[in-house]
Amino acid sequence: MRINELARQHATELDALIDGALILDSQKFGLNCDNEMAAIFYYPISIGNPFQSLYYSKFLENGIVPIGTNNLSNVASIRWPGKMFLHLHWLGNIIGDTENSDVANQRVEEFLQQIDAMKDNGFNIIWTVHNILPHDAVLQDCQIKLRVELVKRCDIIHTMCGDTIQLSEAFFSLPEDKIVNVPHPTYETFYPTQYSDLESRFQLNINHDEFVFLFFGSIQAYKGLHDLVRAFKELDSRTDKKLKLIIAGKVFNQSNFKTIKNEIDASENIALFQNRIPNEDVQHYFKAANICVCPYRITLNSGVAHLSHTFGTPVIGPNVGGFKELLSGGGGYTYEQLNFEDLVLAMEKSLTMDFDKERKKILKINQKYNPDKISSQFAEIISRGGADD
């Protein structure tokens, strides 16, 4: 796949651009056509996360060549007769894991100088605000400086939920005249989904009469797994139902995870899956679950919530950001963020959920967040150069 070749430096961004231009020329996009051709370079490439593949899936059809890069120097000097865009996603790599503020500030300055040079070369700058700050940010002042300065240079700021401006205000301001809001898509068409709920339970060794809560995705401190395990045990003590908690995800910090792992290992009705989950097996976890719980202490947008809905599984999440918008019309419950008792109550409420009714609501929700629709909408915005006047 081209994105993997670029990420592993087995191909060049210029080669990809030329190949894409030839394809668009055959589709009547180009200098001598009524339809203008454009190129968008996106950074960094996220292998393993299908978000970018879905978001750019309809770009070629709309006359835009999408090209991933992990090295901005490779594209900074490219000249192009049509529109050129640099689309920035996650900014964690800019500062990296240094804890030295001088080193961090130097990296920020070098990055901003590169952005300035690219703007001088005709690039329009787009930033998708996936999160306010990196969840494990150490040098917060440097991270804030990076975003403050980047916002000044952006031509388009892409948000995926209406709360982004408000939630950012404590750290930096987002000018409304630069903002376009296009939501996070579901993952329809990406993950296989041929197995039944019953078969999925068989694959994971889960009894048919157990009510299953699922925690899915990378295990990091901000995601509140400690809160969920505690809430699960509290709920288990309140009900006669057979409960099960599945935890499936990669651990980012083993030392932080050590305490909670002891609690997990001591519980017969908590199952932990720490291995990387192949794409074809993702369906088993969501189909085996009654409901997916996202007990996040910090959140803005959540791919896991959309992934859960992709398989028709309702979601419990905090009442902020993307969760609030996604679940406003059903498809699960929200709870007051950082309120432990409210989390327990939401989980308790799910025990009597009308799942047939909720799945019908999820089908309608998924139509709104269909990836083809989202990609075409974003491509149209790029083609016209930003938000409407």
Side-chain angles (χ1 to χ4, degrees):
M1 187 177 180
R2 171 55 66 58
I3 188 173
N4 293 329
E5 293 297 301
L6 286 164
R8 298 185 176 107
Q9 299 182 350
H10 295 159
T12 71
E13 292 82 354
L14 185 57
D15 288 337
L17 177 58
I18 293 170
D19 290 344
L22 291 173
I23 291 173
L24 290 186
D25 182 68
S26 69
Q27 301 301 310
K28 308 305 181 185
F29 288 94
L31 294 177
N32 299 318
C33 305
D34 292 335
N35 299 313
E36 186 177 7
M37 186 187 298
I40 185 167
F41 296 89
Y42 56 93
Y43 171 89
I45 297 172
S46 179
I47 294 181
N49 182 348
F51 173 86
Q52 291 172 330
S53 298
L54 294 172
Y55 235 82
Y56 299 120
S57 61
K58 294 299 178 180
F59 271 42
L60 278 172
E61 295 177 19
N62 286 273
I64 306 170
V65 183
I67 304 159
T69 182
N70 281 329
N71 189 339
L72 294 182
S73 298
N74 289 351
V75 302
S77 60
I78 290 177
R79 300 292 193 275
W80 183 248
K83 290 180 180 178
M84 289 196 302
F85 298 89
L86 172 66
H87 187 184
L88 299 167
H89 287 276
W90 304 273
L91 303 178
N93 289 342
I94 308 303
I95 291 177
D97 58 1
T98 182
E99 297 184 11
N100 184 308
S101 59
D102 291 335
V103 172
N105 281 316
Q106 182 180 350
R107 290 175 180 175
V108 169
E109 289 301 322
E110 290 173 352
F111 170 74
L112 294 173
Q113 288 171 13
Q114 197 163 38
I115 296 300
D116 289 337
M118 295 182 77
K119 286 183 71 69
D120 289 341
N121 283 346
F123 280 87
N124 294 283
I125 308 300
I126 306 169
W127 174 37
T128 291
V129 188
H130 288 275
N131 45 45
I132 306 301
L133 296 175
H135 301 301
D136 55 353
V138 176
L139 301 173
Q140 191 173 97
D141 289 346
C142 297
Q143 295 288 356
I144 293 172
K145 175 186 174 182
L146 168 60
R147 285 152 182 77
V148 168
E149 293 300 322
L150 178 60
V151 165
K152 295 176 184 177
R153 293 160 169 83
C154 281
D155 298 282
I156 299 173
I157 297 172
H158 170 218
T159 63
M160 291 187 283
C161 69
D163 276 357
T164 304
I165 295 177
Q166 179 184 351
L167 294 172
S168 300
E169 283 179 350
F171 307 99
F172 51 87
S173 298
L174 297 175
E176 293 191 25
D177 61 336
K178 292 185 177 183
I179 288 179
V180 298
N181 191 75
V182 182
H184 195 298
T186 66
Y187 293 92
E188 290 177 283
T189 72
F190 188 85
Y191 290 99
T193 180
Q194 71 270 31
Y195 290 109
S196 67
D197 296 358
L198 195 62
E199 172 66 17
S200 293
R201 289 202 167 203
F202 171 72
Q203 293 294 332
L204 297 180
N205 194 27
I206 296 171
N207 295 328
H208 72 279
D209 59 345
E210 291 179 305
F211 189 97
V212 179
F213 296 97
L214 171 66
F215 176 97
F216 190 91
S218 61
I219 299 173
Q220 303 181 62
Y222 81 91
K223 289 192 173 181
L225 181 58
H226 288 74
D227 298 330
L228 175 57
V229 170
R230 191 159 63 98
F232 176 78
K233 290 183 176 181
E234 173 64 24
L235 180 59
D236 193 31
S237 69
R238 297 184 187 183
T239 181
D240 294 330
K241 283 197 171 187
K242 294 181 180 179
L243 304 184
K244 188 87 170 183
L245 172 60
I246 296 176
I247 301 168
K250 180 181 178 181
V251 178
F252 265 56
N253 188 315
Q254 289 291 344
S255 60
N256 288 340
F257 184 63
K258 186 175 181 180
T259 302
I260 190 68
K261 188 176 186 304
N262 291 337
E263 293 184 44
I264 293 169
D265 291 343
S267 300
E268 293 183 359
N269 53 352
I270 300 179
L272 174 63
F273 299 86
Q274 291 189 71
N275 297 328
R276 193 190 80 79
I277 300 166
N279 286 349
E280 61 270 21
D281 291 343
V282 170
Q283 59 183 308
H284 293 316
Y285 295 88
F286 288 96
K287 289 188 172 187
N290 294 93
I291 196 158
C292 176
V293 188
C294 303
Y296 302 166
R297 290 175 161 264
I298 302 171
T299 186
L300 181 62
N301 308 288
S302 175
V304 171
H306 288 281
L307 179 58
S308 187
H309 276 184
T310 298
F311 295 104
T313 305
V315 176
I316 293 174
N319 59 346
V320 295
F323 286 105
K324 183 171 69 175
E325 291 185 11
L326 179 66
L327 303 178
S328 61
Y333 303 128
T334 60
Y335 66 94
E336 184 179 348
Q337 190 176 33
L338 303 180
N339 186 323
F340 174 77
E341 184 58 31
D342 208 34
L343 171 60
V344 177
L345 290 175
M347 294 172 66
E348 186 173 33
K349 186 178 178 182
S350 72
L351 298 179
T352 56
M353 176 182 282
D354 184 336
F355 285 94
D356 289 337
K357 184 177 180 181
E358 288 304 312
R359 286 190 177 115
K360 289 178 181 177
K361 291 179 181 178
I362 290 173
L363 285 174
K364 292 183 178 180
I365 293 169
N366 285 347
Q367 291 174 3
K368 177 180 178 181
Y369 297 101
N370 174 271
D372 288 351
K373 178 181 177 181
I374 296 296
S375 181
S376 295
Q377 183 182 353
F378 194 59
E380 181 183 346
I381 290 171
I382 300 304
S383 295
R384 68 173 185 252
D388 290 326
D389 295 330

